[in-house]
Amino acid sequence: PLRPEDPVAMALRASSRRLMTATRDVLPRRGQMLALPRQTEDVAPLLEKAKQPWQELAKEEKVTLYRAAYGVTRKELQSEPSHSGFIVAATLGAIAVSFLIFKGTNKMANPRPHTLSEEWQKASQQKIKDEGLNPIRNQ
């Protein structure tokens, strides 16, 4: 466990505080749905109208308020081109490159150690049996 005076614990607390502060400053709070950077001057008068009942607003005004708050609709987000094909291709390419590097290093490596030969393995198994080094299996 980390002690409160531990420098690592102090650094973790400081970084988590910075992250929480940054997140708190970026995310809109309840009741501030239109306090976003997409606001323009033409939205300001609509904000006053929005305090009144929404049935009195025209459809265009409602759409303008929605666009100021959220930007695009879900349908518009879904119609944008997906990057999943690129991500899959890049992942498969990275796996292929790493496989080629692995095979290249195996090809250039020195010959296998003599302790991995078949006769060495058999002799090791025989020694284990002869000296009774495996008491669990009684070999």
Side-chain angles (χ1 to χ4, degrees):
L2 296 173
R3 293 186 200 143
E5 65 274 359
D6 187 13
V8 174
M10 291 171 30
L12 285 172
R13 276 195 304 270
S15 65
S16 65
R17 264 190 238 114
R18 282 194 300 270
L19 179 64
M20 287 188 310
T21 304
T23 306
R24 187 179 60 231
D25 293 343
V26 170
L27 295 176
R29 291 172 183 70
R30 288 185 188 196
Q32 294 180 341
M33 79 171 208
L34 294 171
L36 296 172
R38 287 188 281 282
Q39 264 187 17
T40 58
E41 290 74 29
D42 59 333
V43 177
L46 288 177
L47 287 175
E48 292 302 318
K49 277 186 163 182
K51 294 177 183 175
Q52 305 301 324
W54 276 57
Q55 291 82 7
E56 298 173 6
L57 292 175
K59 184 177 179 181
E60 295 80 25
E61 294 171 333
K62 292 177 186 177
V63 169
T64 305
L65 286 170
Y66 179 87
R67 295 280 184 195
Y70 301 108
V72 294
T73 63
R74 183 170 183 251
K75 286 273 189 194
E76 291 170 341
L77 284 175
Q78 289 176 341
S79 67
E80 289 181 6
S82 174
H83 300 292
S84 60
F86 172 75
I87 292 170
V88 168
T91 303
L92 291 176
I95 290 171
V97 167
S98 61
F99 180 76
L100 291 175
I101 291 171
F102 173 75
K103 283 298 187 183
T105 54
N106 277 349
K107 196 174 251 334
M108 294 185 319
N110 292 332
R112 291 173 51 149
H114 66 281
T115 56
L116 292 179
S117 67
E118 193 173 323
E119 64 263 358
W120 188 280
Q121 295 291 326
K122 287 181 182 177
S124 295
Q125 290 299 321
Q126 189 60 42
K127 181 177 180 182
I128 288 173
K129 288 178 184 177
D130 292 344
E131 296 183 11
L133 296 176
N134 193 351
I136 294 175
R137 291 192 181 168
N138 253 351
Q139 294 177 347

